[in-house]
Amino acid sequence: MSVKITGMDSLQKKLKKMADGARELDGQHQVAIPDLLTESFLAKHTKFTNAQELFDNSGFKIDSPEDFKAIPDDEWDQYISSVSSFESWNEMLQSATAEYAKRKMGLSS
């Protein structure tokens, strides 16, 4: 009796993509907000279709990184809590980062 095993090539490709993704994620990186807050992420957790809409709707003047840094954390967290399924900006970023890592490793689309 013999058993034919199929799909090993596909599995090897998936494992290679995961390993490549893990190597790419190793260490510290700066990831652009639009790469974290993707359309699909925002559609799932907010009413917005992109990060720019999220920022534009905030009522804060955000024309530069310095403008964003000047927003009081508690006020920004209140805004994020009111427009998303998250309690804070940090919580939103942690979730978005986890999804980003899954995509990089080929674990989600």
Side-chain angles (χ1 to χ4, degrees), residues 53-68:
E53 281 185 15
L54 175 73
F55 293 126
D56 289 346
N57 188 69
S58 71
F60 295 103
K61 178 184 173 277
I62 306 173
D63 294 327
S64 69
E66 292 75 25
D67 289 344
F68 184 73

Side-chain angles (χ1 to χ4, degrees), residues 5-104:
I5 299 175
T6 60
M8 292 304 287
D9 288 339
S10 175
L11 177 60
Q12 276 186 314
K13 287 178 186 175
K14 286 180 183 177
L15 290 173
K16 181 179 180 339
K17 182 172 180 151
M18 287 176 64
D20 291 345
R23 271 192 294 282
E24 191 176 323
L25 291 169
D26 190 32
Q28 290 187 349
H29 302 276
Q30 287 195 1
V31 180
I33 291 292
D35 292 337
L36 288 178
L37 302 181
T38 62
E39 290 180 9
S40 63
F41 179 85
L42 289 171
K44 187 184 337 178
H45 298 287
T46 75
K47 65 179 181 176
F48 304 109
T49 58
N50 61 55
Q52 191 62 52
E53 281 185 15
L54 175 73
F55 293 126
D56 289 346
N57 188 69
S58 71
F60 295 103
K61 178 184 173 277
I62 306 173
D63 294 327
S64 69
E66 292 75 25
D67 289 344
F68 184 73
K69 288 176 187 173
I71 299 169
D73 290 345
D74 60 332
E75 291 180 32
W76 186 251
D77 285 343
Q78 280 182 317
Y79 169 66
I80 292 300
S81 177
S82 73
V83 298
S84 76
S85 59
F86 301 103
E87 291 297 316
S88 69
W89 176 239
N90 191 47
E91 186 181 321
M92 178 183 253
L93 288 181
Q94 286 178 348
S95 180
T97 301
E99 286 193 22
Y100 174 83
K102 286 179 188 177
R103 283 193 313 276
K104 282 292 188 184

